[in-house]
Amino acid sequence: MSINIYQDTLQNVWLFGQSVLYTEQPIQREVVPEGWYCYELKGSDTNPKRPYEMVHQAGQDFAGSILSDVPLMRGRTQGKLVPSNFWMAAIPVTLEDFCAEEGIPCPEPPEEAEGPGEAWEPAVHGWTMGMA
């Protein structure tokens, strides 16, 4: 299960001195807005649900996701330890509220893939009309 970053509530937290968004659920990479950054938090072997390290993809011991409008890792950095750099204020916030608070433009949700809309009707309907 993953979160809808455009509709669901996330938490505003401080990580490495930056105000960022946090969720305990995975964020699908394809919905991350252009110019934004997504990272995953890993727990330790002894406490897998408590954030211990920020990485690009956690694999195992997933402890949450971070969405940030600024990069938190440089170049080829594989991971950064977070225990003393992660402060949860437990303030629920939407992406729109976060952007307004930070004074940054709020990204628009990606457009849905084009396909049959609500007007679509099954092809069988045409066959029943022809029978009489």
Side-chain angles (χ1 to χ4, degrees):
M1 184 173 174
S2 60
I3 192 165
N4 181 330
I5 62 170
Y6 297 96
Q7 295 176 352
D8 296 333
T9 302
L10 301 116
Q11 292 184 39
N12 190 346
V13 301
W14 284 90
L15 181 60
F16 303 114
Q18 295 291 324
S19 179
V20 297
L21 293 168
Y22 164 78
T23 178
E24 292 178 347
Q25 298 177 342
I27 295 175
Q28 294 176 341
R29 302 301 171 138
E30 59 270 8
V31 300
V32 175
E34 189 173 330
W36 285 66
Y37 304 86
C38 184
Y39 306 99
E40 292 184 355
L41 298 173
K42 283 178 62 169
S44 64
D45 290 337
T46 56
N47 196 349
K49 292 296 179 187
R50 184 174 182 187
Y52 178 75
E53 181 180 15
M54 183 177 70
V55 295
H56 292 285
Q57 290 191 309
Q60 64 184 19
D61 297 332
F62 176 84
S65 297
I66 296 293
L67 184 64
S68 174
D69 64 315
V70 297
L72 301 174
M73 288 199 290
R74 290 186 224 157
R76 297 182 184 188
T77 303
Q78 297 296 312
K80 290 173 86 171
L81 299 180
V82 300
S84 60
N85 295 302
F86 183 79
W87 294 279
M88 286 187 66
I91 299 171
V93 65
T94 63
L95 178 60
E96 184 177 2
D97 293 338
F98 174 81
C99 292
E101 181 72 27
E102 296 295 316
I104 56 177
C106 187
E108 293 293 323
E111 293 183 23
E112 295 293 323
E114 300 240 356
E118 293 179 7
W120 179 83
E121 294 183 31
V124 176
H125 180 68
W127 286 98
T128 40
M129 289 181 65
M131 301 172 103

